[in-house]
Amino acid sequence: MDWIMLAAGGLGLILFILSFFLKDRSKETEEELHELSMSLYQELYQLKKRTKLLEEELMIEPSAGAKKTKPKQINEILINQVLSLHKQGMKPDQISALSSLHVSDVRRIINQ
């Protein structure tokens, strides 16, 4: 019985000492996870930055001093919707708020 306890204790001591020399795989996994999360954060930041730039570009209106060009082509479906809303008694500014058109475009469609 004493031999079994001594053997188990010795084996435990050997395994304990051996554990200090073995490579810790959780550290590698933790480092890989950290690198992956940092790269994802960087990509997300760049995407948000690009989205913000695109939104700013789309919201910029031409300056008052810019030359007028010919009116943009408006889709037939949108024209029909504007006319239908006008027939229902909506005002051009209300129709403009509901559609993606400027008030002047709505008025031009109604007057045609």
Side-chain angles (χ1 to χ4, degrees):
M1 179 95 155
D2 290 334
W3 288 100
I4 294 175
M5 290 184 71
L6 273 173
L11 182 63
L13 183 63
I14 291 172
L15 289 176
F16 180 71
I17 293 171
L18 187 61
S19 69
F20 287 109
F21 296 108
L22 292 178
K23 201 173 194 182
D24 189 14
R25 293 184 183 173
S26 64
K27 292 243 184 209
E28 288 179 9
T29 307
E30 187 176 317
E31 288 176 7
E32 287 177 9
L33 181 62
H34 180 70
E35 288 176 17
L36 180 63
S37 64
M38 289 304 291
S39 67
L40 285 174
Y41 283 132
Q42 289 174 349
E43 288 180 24
L44 184 62
Y45 173 75
Q46 289 175 353
L47 285 174
K48 284 182 179 180
K49 190 175 176 182
R50 288 180 188 168
T51 304
K52 185 177 178 181
L53 286 174
L54 286 174
E55 287 174 348
E56 288 174 357
E57 286 179 8
L58 291 175
M59 295 188 88
I60 295 175
E61 294 182 12
S63 62
K67 293 182 180 178
K68 278 209 160 191
T69 57
K70 67 176 188 175
K72 61 182 177 183
Q73 294 291 330
I74 300 173
N75 191 347
E76 279 295 320
I77 296 172
L78 194 53
I79 292 172
N80 291 334
Q81 288 177 346
V82 168
L83 293 174
S84 173
L85 290 173
H86 178 66
K87 287 178 184 176
Q88 293 175 10
M90 292 187 122
K91 296 179 182 177
D93 55 333
Q94 293 172 327
I95 297 172
S96 174
L98 292 174
S99 66
S100 61
L101 297 174
H102 193 269
V103 178
S104 62
D105 292 333
V106 172
R107 286 188 182 128
R108 185 171 43 86
I109 291 171
I110 292 170
N111 291 334
Q112 287 177 351

